Amino acid sequence: MFADIKPHLTELRRRLAISVSVIIVFAFVAFGFNQAIIGFAKAPLMGVVSGDPFIGGIGIFFTALKISIFTGFLFALPVVFFQIWGFIAPGLYENEKKYVIPFVAVSTFMFLLGAAFAYWLVIPLGFEFLWMFAGNLVNFLQTLDEYIGIFTKILFGFGVAFELPVILFFLGVLGLITDKSLRDFFGYAVLIIFIFAAILTPPDVITQLLMAIPLILLYGLSIVIVRMVNPYQADDDDDDDIDLDNVPTKV
């Protein structure tokens, strides 16, 4: 059994090594522009507070390293998604392997769209809400490093969340789900979405809703997409049950 798994682990390790190497290369380049990148990361907060609320300058090494790695990851997204596809492609049929370019392109776009949504809407509104309640009581952002940690976590979370239609589309193409199964699972999906939002966002209701509501809408969009690629079709047993129910009884 281990002999069957070992080639897959070797392939997974190779794909991970390629992805990490590309991320490191882009992170190394981004590190040379870390001050500009940190300034870009701080921009959504500048409209909420007056002045710079952070203790310490933007030259802190580990803060610069953290934001550089995250920037490198964003630039390496096409390579990362291509490696993901390369790992799962051997298990697909030939007609399914043709989706490699759409998968890489749409996955990259949706991740960046989620990150952009978080940057221009969620972070300003979320921190404005926090500042109204905590700004005059405690300094909830004591260091720049703490803010960058929250910033990257939110952007990453929204990027992953916006991959939902892509994931469900390919599950539909593979025949693993139908629009009916998604509709039947809707209540559970809403609960999972709110748990996911609570984990990946700061502890405030506004930010959690700003993640949960788009995710629920994306789930609804996914139902429409899956209906197009793999619509639910009642089997013969279902048809027989319906016919038997409608048979008139004799007097």
Side-chain angles (χ1 to χ4, degrees), residues 122 126-127 130 150 153-154 197-205 207-208:
V122 177
F127 280 105
L130 284 174
I150 297 174
K153 180 181 177 182
I154 293 176
I199 294 174
L200 292 180
T201 59
D204 69 278
V205 177
T207 310
Q208 292 174 8

Side-chain angles (χ1 to χ4, degrees), residues 136-148:
N136 295 326
L137 300 176
V138 295
N139 187 7
F140 63 92
L141 294 174
Q142 295 182 356
T143 65
L144 176 61
D145 185 68
E146 182 180 356
Y147 170 72
I148 293 299

Side-chain angles (χ1 to χ4, degrees), residues 108-120:
T108 301
F109 172 77
M110 291 302 294
F111 193 101
L112 295 178
L113 180 64
F117 179 81
Y119 179 85
W120 273 289

